[in-house]
Structures are given as structure tokens and as C-alpha cells.
Amino acid sequence: MAKQFKIGYLPLTKANWTNETLEAARREARAYLQSLPGVEVVGGDRMIDFEEKAVRELGFFEQERPDLIVAHFMTFSLGVIVPMFAQRLKVPVVLWSMKEPDPKGGRLQNNSFCAANMNSHFLYRMHVPYFHVHAEVGSELAKQGLEKAIRVTKTVNTLGRMRIGVIGGRVPGFFTSSCDEMLLRTKIGPEVKFITEHEVIETARKLKPEELDSAMKTILSDATVHPTDGPSDEQLRKSAALFAAVGKMKEKFLVDTFAMRCWPEFIADDLYGIAVCSTIGHLTNHGFLTACEGDAYGAVMMRMAQELTGDLPFFCDMIVMEGDYGVAWHCGAAPGRLCRPGCRPQLCRSATVEGGGVKGVTGEFPLKPGRVTLARLGEKRDGDGFRMLIATGDALDTELFVRGNPVRIRFDAGCDKLREVVIGQGWEHHYALSYGDIVPELLDICRILDIEPAVVQ
């Protein structure tokens, strides 16, 4: 059962400023937070207007350990409260301010924004992650802002607990798949666990018949075998066995995401003898997010995308970047759930390995259309931190005009501008393509984790 995300609700006011209108807003705000799926709310049963009340509430919060504090400035409030909670609980804070009502007889009513402004300075100086929502209780703007803060906080928490199984390291010559595991763990959180290809292959060879049968049913539920260019029965069996073997690595090494050195060893006849593209697609399709070519940072970006969108990401290259659209593509490792409507993924022999038409298995289909965000997590030039490339666009209805998994994208910035940034700033050549516009969320993650963003729009 998934752990409940816990919000500590802190309705703040100043002595003698509370009235029934604000009390109604407090009750409505708490009820809304409690209505969110997978959320538990602690605190917020009364206004906090004196320091002694805040200290008692903090003791309760320390027992409950919320994942996020929502500091709701019903009016101006004491400046000591939010910094005290932030320092002791060490979790992100939402600063929630509201519009200033028209003065009645010239008297200031709430002074809510000023309170948020003051507290943002405190949190900025204290290096505490924070969000700002400026909206009325019950409004769509408040809903969007609070839900975004929850998504981002959940994602950052997930990154902090993430364990990546890197199978075999990176592929030869792909320095763009290199990973500084201590920098990654220190700055963002994921731990890297190295798994040998030998162990995975031996595990695949020693599967029980019922395990292999189950894996075969799974991969055939994802795609049909191409009638003329499909893999041999032996190649298909090896693909299913590898799918099951990697699943066993998840259990053995307690990892949640993979990056696989998918060539050259797996392709070699004396080691395993297949292209593993479709295997990677099946793994991602069934919740084992897997980046190709040993790209650990690519795996982290995929996990971010999935956490923020609830949909599967596409690990891809950009093979066209001119004219009206670019083309995101990979060799046949996309998850089948991203298939273009009306199409069916097909299991084929690779179009590129050993000249094409020899080794299976690839999963071939064009991707679905929709609003998309292309993103890449990489190291800064001198290796002293991370940066992130972010670009948005519209994935167009695309036919299978090239073997593998293509999708045409009309980028908001245009291909010329994006091409100049990608080459001029020396970005890695692997990307995570996610469905939806998640730029605000990615920018929040960059701000919280001290990642340098490069947004191309």
C-alpha cells in the first residue's frame, strides 16, 4: 500500500484579526487539502496567532512528520513561526497568501501577501525549499498551485529514495552516458547499484519453465510478432527470459529503475545473441523504467517525468532538427503504452544491428500525438553540479516512416533555436520525452535541487 503524503496545515493570523469569514476559509482550505487523493492532513484545527500556540503545534507536527507544510496566511502573522517550523521539520513549505479585501473604513483587512513576502525572505536565506500560492480558498488557481507543490515535493522525495540498477555500465564511447555516482547522490539523491551483464544473462538462462512462460505471455501482450520480419522463436524466447531476469535484479538489488548497457555484449552470439531493444520497452511498459545505453542520468530524468505526469516517458535521440519539426526516435525500445492510436506495436528484427534483418528483437511503432516536454539532466561543464535542458512542443500524428519508434515534434521555440542551444551548449544526446507541459514543475525541481535550468521555448 502506498504511503500517504502528509501535509501539515498551518493557518496563521494575528491576534484580534480573526473573524468568521477567515474561520470559514480555514475550514474550507483544510477540507480541500484532505480531499486530495493519497493525502493526509495534520493540524489546522484552529488558527495560530500566538507563539505559545505555535510551539505546541510544532511539537504535534514533530510527532506526525509531515512531508510538506502549508503556511496559510489568513492575515499578517508573527515572523517567528514559519522559520521555526521549517528549521525543525526540514521539509518544503507552501506560502499561501490571499488577495487583499477592499479596506473597510480605511482599515487594512488581511495583509496576507506582505506576510508571504516576509517569510519568503526567511526561507530563501535559510535554504529551505518553498512554493508560493497567491489565490483565494476554493479557486482553481489555489487548486493548481497546491497540487503542483505536492507533485514536486513527491518527486523530490522519490529522487531522494531512488536506486538505479546500472546493468553493465555505459556502452563504449558514449561519454554522454557517463555518471558521477557520488555527485548524483549528493546533489539529487539517487543511489547507483552496479549489476553485471553476466549475472543477468546467467539468471535468464536458469529461469524455471513457468517463469519463462509467464514472461512470454507478458511480452506478447504488449505487441504482435511481425509476420515477415519478426524474430525467430529462439530470439523471442531470449527476449522474454531477459525481461524476467531483469525483474529478478529489481528484487535482488532493491532497485526501482534501470540503465542498461544494451550493446555490444548482449548482441554477441557467444554471450547472448539478441538485440534487447524491445526488452527495454517491455520493462518500461510494466513499471521497470529502463534507459538505454547505460545512461543513469537519463534514467533519473525518466523517473522525474513519470512522477510528474503519471505517464510513461520515452527515452530517445533527436534525429531530425530542421524545418517545421524535429523527430524524436529510438531503435525500438519505447513502451507500447505510448503507441499511436490505431497502430499495434510489432516485434521485429533490428533494422540496424549487423546490417539489419538478422537479430531480433525490436518493438516498432510510431508514438502518439499530444503536448510534450523534452528534457535532459546533465552535468555542468566543470562537473560541479547539474543542469537541465527543457523544451516544449506538440507531438504530431506520425506514421512509421522510419524503422523503430519515431514521433515528429513541432517545438515551440522552433528547430533552429533548439538546435543552436543543444549544440552550442554541448548537451548530451539522450532525452526523456514526456506527455504534458511540466515546465513549471521542472523549474521548481531545479530551484529546490540547485539544478541550472535552460528552458528553450
Side-chain angles (χ1 to χ4, degrees), residues 168 170-172 197 201 261-274 276:
R170 63 164 175 79
V171 299
E197 291 164 301
I201 290 170
R261 178 179 167 118
C262 44
W263 61 272
E265 288 80 9
F266 281 112
I267 296 170
D269 288 325
D270 58 344
L271 288 176
Y272 202 65
I274 66 167
V276 301

Side-chain angles (χ1 to χ4, degrees), residues 126-174:
M126 294 169 67
H127 296 273
V128 173
Y130 65 91
F131 308 87
H132 181 221
V133 174
H134 185 66
E136 298 307 289
V137 175
S139 69
E140 182 63 24
L141 195 60
K143 177 177 182 292
Q144 292 173 357
L146 290 165
E147 290 181 350
K148 178 169 75 76
I150 292 169
R151 282 196 304 275
V152 170
T153 302
K154 283 183 174 180
T155 301
V156 171
N157 290 349
T158 296
L159 295 174
R161 298 188 297 267
M162 186 177 175
R163 290 162 66 95
I164 307 168
V166 176
I167 299 173
R170 63 164 175 79
V171 299
F174 275 45

Side-chain angles (χ1 to χ4, degrees), residues 243-268:
F243 171 83
V246 175
K248 285 179 173 287
M249 297 302 103
K250 183 178 190 295
E251 297 170 7
K252 178 176 181 178
F253 291 94
L254 302 177
V255 297
D256 50 54
T257 309
F258 292 96
M260 185 182 290
R261 178 179 167 118
C262 44
W263 61 272
E265 288 80 9
F266 281 112
I267 296 170

